Amino acid sequence: MSQEAIPETTGRHSLKTRTARSRSFRKSLRKDSSLYLLALPGIVVLILFAYLPMSGLILVFKNYNFNDGIFGSPWAGFSNFEFFFSSMEDALRATRNTVMLNALYMLTGTFFSVAIAIILNELRSKWFIKVTQSVMFFPYFISWIIIGAILFSLLDYDKGILNQLFHSLGLAQVDWYSSPWLFVIILVLANIWKSAGYGAIIYYAVLQGIDPSYYEAARIDGASRWQIITKITLPMLIPSIILMTLLGIGGMLKGDLSMIMGVTFLNPLLLPTTDIIDVYVYRTAIRSGEFGFASAITLYQSVFGFLLVLVANKLAGWYDKDSKLF
């Protein structure tokens, strides 16, 4: 075969491959047109609110001002990042607090959500399960501002219900809003109360998809209820737990600003443990209109979260190849 014939043959093969793929796509489009139409609104929303706003990332490298706008503001290079890392102690504290709190939320939330889902799965009263689900799901819709007000009525040093109870029992009163590490426990408990019911419903739905024959066979073999839970229910839940954990890890550096503001009122005495990245950005940038700095830290959170997802996804693949996101 001549040297000139090789590129020509390769080109024809590539053209045939592209043509075959095009025909396959058109065939799939005609066959599953209803499914593509169903996915279209989600795709449009994703493009409008996820991809198009990414053009605003240019703000990260701008010294933004209102008069010139995003694209007209002068370039600032990496100075917005330098502003964050110039105070390394504050940057490390904010990162540490964000990771610590989110890790605690994830671990405790997953534990209680799975436990509640298993308990519901073991119950036989349908009406009781429905009522319990509604009651547990209700806190998810309550604002953190309202939860903060409830906690304040419980924890206030002078008029709080708990301190009044301690006083009546002859015990020392506790100044909750001056105890940073003690407030970590309060935040974790508040997060469990608010979100565990929502997570439990997700895991309970997964349990409803398990083939009942597994349980019937285990009972015939004489397995106890605890053995059924540990040998059948929990192993069946592990893929869903891994998936939810991987999705949660992506937001490991995303703190809940509304939670901290609503529950702690940005109390400066609690900042040693509650000064997460979002709070730090709000205190130092948003109030003063430094939107370029705020955007730079948001990019830092997103990139770091993406790297965490890659690492966690790799670890999940080592445990179970089918549990990986990609």
Side-chain angles (χ1 to χ4, degrees):
M1 182 181 295
S2 64
Q3 295 295 327
E4 291 79 3
I6 295 177
E8 183 179 354
T9 304
T10 305
R12 289 177 180 176
H13 178 72
S14 177
L15 179 60
K16 289 181 179 179
T17 302
R18 289 196 298 269
T19 304
R21 290 177 179 175
S22 178
R23 289 176 179 174
S24 176
F25 175 74
R26 289 197 299 268
K27 182 179 179 180
S28 175
L29 193 61
R30 288 193 299 268
K31 181 181 178 181
D32 302 321
S33 57
S34 58
L35 297 179
Y36 283 107
L37 187 62
L38 185 65
L40 184 61
I43 295 173
V44 172
V45 170
L46 186 66
I47 293 174
L48 290 178
F49 296 99
Y51 286 98
L52 288 182
M54 289 180 69
S55 61
L57 286 176
I58 193 176
L59 186 62
V60 173
F61 308 101
K62 292 274 192 172
N63 186 12
Y64 177 77
N65 62 76
F66 290 98
N67 294 328
D68 297 327
I70 295 178
F71 297 101
S73 298
W75 292 96
F78 292 95
S79 61
N80 289 320
F81 292 99
E82 293 172 359
F83 182 80
F84 178 62
F85 292 104
S86 60
S87 179
M88 185 57 68
E89 183 179 352
D90 292 338
L92 290 177
R93 184 181 75 170
T95 303
R96 180 200 66 202
N97 291 341
T98 306
V99 174
M100 176 192 68
L101 288 175
N102 280 326
L104 290 174
Y105 296 158
M106 190 181 305
L107 291 173
T108 57
T110 300
F111 175 81
F112 282 97
S113 295
V114 171
I116 294 172
I118 292 175
I119 292 173
L120 291 177
N121 190 57
E122 293 297 315
L123 297 176
R124 294 293 173 263
S125 177
K126 298 297 182 182
W127 69 268
F128 182 79
I129 293 175
K130 292 180 179 179
V131 172
T132 304
Q133 284 180 315
S134 300
V135 172
M136 290 188 305
F137 196 57
F138 177 71
Y140 182 77
F141 297 101
I142 298 179
S143 168
W144 281 114
I145 303 299
I146 298 176
I147 295 175
I150 295 173
L151 286 174
F152 186 77
S153 66
L154 291 172
L155 305 177
D156 182 52
Y157 185 80
D158 295 321
K159 300 180 180 179
I161 296 175
L162 286 182
N163 276 331
Q164 289 183 1
L165 178 62
F166 292 159
H167 181 71
S168 64
L169 295 175
L171 301 175
Q173 294 176 280
V174 180
D175 192 356
W176 304 92
Y177 288 92
S178 299
S179 306
W181 289 102
L182 191 60
F183 226 84
V184 172
I185 301 175
I186 296 172
L187 289 174
V188 171
L189 293 176
N191 182 75
I192 292 172
W193 179 78
K194 191 176 191 300
S195 62
Y198 176 81
I201 291 176
I202 295 176
Y203 292 119
Y204 179 72
V206 174
L207 292 178
Q208 297 309 296
I210 299 177
D211 190 347
S213 62
Y214 292 137
Y215 295 107
E216 294 174 2
R219 293 190 186 97
I220 292 174
D221 290 339
S224 64
R225 178 167 290 187
W226 177 250
Q227 289 174 324
I228 291 175
I229 292 174
T230 55
K231 302 298 183 181
I232 298 177
T233 305
L234 278 177
M236 290 291 185
L237 276 177
I238 286 178
S240 299
I241 294 174
I242 293 176
L243 176 62
M244 297 299 292
T245 302
L246 289 175
L247 294 175
I249 287 176
M252 184 68 77
L253 257 68
K254 296 283 186 180
D256 193 340
L257 178 61
S258 60
M259 176 186 186
I260 302 299
M261 292 182 66
V263 175
T264 71
F265 312 110
L266 296 183
N267 187 337
L269 297 176
L270 301 176
L271 288 180
T273 56
T274 61
D275 191 23
I276 59 177
I277 293 177
D278 292 66
V279 172
Y280 177 75
V281 172
Y282 176 78
R283 292 191 300 107
T284 59
I286 301 299
R287 286 179 175 177
S288 58
E290 296 289 342
F291 295 106
F293 168 65
S295 301
I297 302 308
T298 302
L299 180 60
Y300 160 72
Q301 290 175 298
S302 300
V303 172
F304 200 90
F306 176 68
L307 294 177
L308 287 176
V309 170
L310 291 179
V311 174
N313 187 66
K314 189 68 174 179
L315 294 175
W318 288 343
Y319 174 80
D320 182 11
K321 293 183 179 180
D322 296 330
S323 298
K324 295 174 63 177
L325 285 175
F326 45 84

